[in-house]
Amino acid sequence: MPENNSSSPYVLILYYSRNGATRAMAKQIARGVEQSDAIEARLRTVPAVSPNTEASEAAIPESGDIYCSQADLTGCSGLILGSPTRFGNMAAPLKYFLDGTANQWLNGDLIGKPAGVFTSTGSLHGGQETTLLTMMLPLLHHGMLIAGIPYSEADLHTTTTGGTPYGPSHVAGQQHSAVLSDEEIRLCQNFGKRLAALTLRLL
Ligand SMILES: Cc1cc2nc3c(=O)[nH]c(=O)nc-3n(C[C@H](O)[C@H](O)[C@H](O)COP(=O)(O)O)c2cc1C
């Protein structure tokens, strides 16, 4: 997917991924967003937190999506946050980034904008819902309007892998070996499509 820095409205898909599962979900969600001609998907990631908590790596990663800037966040019309589940919660690098968004909070930059969340876990009952729900909290403090997945999505009723009403999810397995299931892919894409439609209505 081409990097987009145009002035067109965009849904920011901001994620952290160590082993690639959350990144694979982000790409499917971006495909869903981009089913609309009127809005674009902007994929951004965050650096790992280093042992001394200060960034020690290059400002631009060697591969993959580039790091999210403050301007990427401030300028988005909608936001979708993705994280691996770490002990039933979001991963520290994403939390670290969010903890640096006091200016956006003070300025009210994200108030009234739609948002959603997604996660990947190692095991089926390893805390997907707790991660998704707690990822919503900082977004609510920012005044964002949270959207999940409605049960009109048939896959929510039948999935035996990921997929929750709180947002898309994926079960990657203990060896990170599980590819996204057909249900997970459809739920990611339709979630992206839903967030894009909501964003356009609220522009
Ligand atoms: C420190 C740590 C904590 C984890 N905690 C959980 C957990 O609570 N539940 C779970 O199912 N998986 C847990 N996992 C596994 C990851 O959530 C899983 O491998 C995920 O798919 C990784 O996503 P990624 O490929 O985008 O990095 C943990 C992994 C690490 C490294």
Side-chain angles (χ1 to χ4, degrees):
M1 187 160 301
E3 288 304 337
N4 185 323
N5 290 300
S6 73
S7 57
S8 310
Y10 60 89
V11 173
L12 176 64
I13 302 173
L14 173 59
Y15 69 93
Y16 175 70
S17 183
R18 178 111 176 239
N19 294 300
T22 311
R23 182 164 193 253
M25 295 181 75
K27 291 196 172 300
Q28 293 297 337
I29 292 169
R31 287 179 70 175
V33 169
E34 299 219 320
Q35 283 180 27
S36 165
D37 292 335
I39 193 151
E40 291 161 357
R42 186 175 290 189
L43 279 162
R44 292 289 186 267
T45 189
V46 293
V49 174
S50 64
N52 63 4
T53 72
E54 289 300 325
S56 55
E57 52 183 285
I60 296 176
E62 281 181 12
S63 62
D65 294 306
I66 63 177
Y67 296 140
C68 190
S69 68
Q70 297 290 315
D72 286 327
L73 181 65
T74 303
C76 77
S77 299
L79 174 65
I80 305 177
L81 274 189
S83 175
T85 287
R86 293 265 171 99
F87 303 121
N89 214 318
M90 82 174 90
L94 193 63
K95 181 67 164 55
Y96 186 74
F97 179 88
L98 291 173
D99 285 356
T101 61
N103 279 340
Q104 284 82 1
W105 177 74
L106 283 169
N107 295 333
D109 291 327
L110 301 177
I111 290 176
K113 296 178 179 178
V117 294
F118 62 101
T119 191
S120 175
T121 55
S123 58
L124 184 57
H125 300 293
Q128 296 191 341
E129 286 90 345
T130 56
T131 300
L132 293 172
L133 289 171
T134 49
M135 286 175 74
M136 292 176 185
L137 300 183
L139 304 180
L140 288 166
H141 278 254
H142 273 290
M144 303 198 84
L145 306 175
I146 308 292
I149 301 177
Y151 270 93
S152 50
E153 291 288 340
D155 289 310
L156 268 193
H157 295 269
T158 57
T159 180
T160 55
T161 53
T164 83
Y166 314 107
S169 60
H170 167 57
V171 183
Q174 295 307 302
Q175 307 304 322
H176 320 291
S177 53
V179 294
L180 298 186
S181 69
D182 291 344
E183 289 86 355
E184 290 170 346
I185 288 173
R186 281 192 295 268
L187 289 168
C188 281
Q189 291 186 3
N190 291 343
F191 181 70
K193 199 172 158 185
R194 182 162 198 248
L195 260 291
L198 285 170
T199 302
L200 286 168
R201 285 173 74 165
L202 292 168
L203 273 181

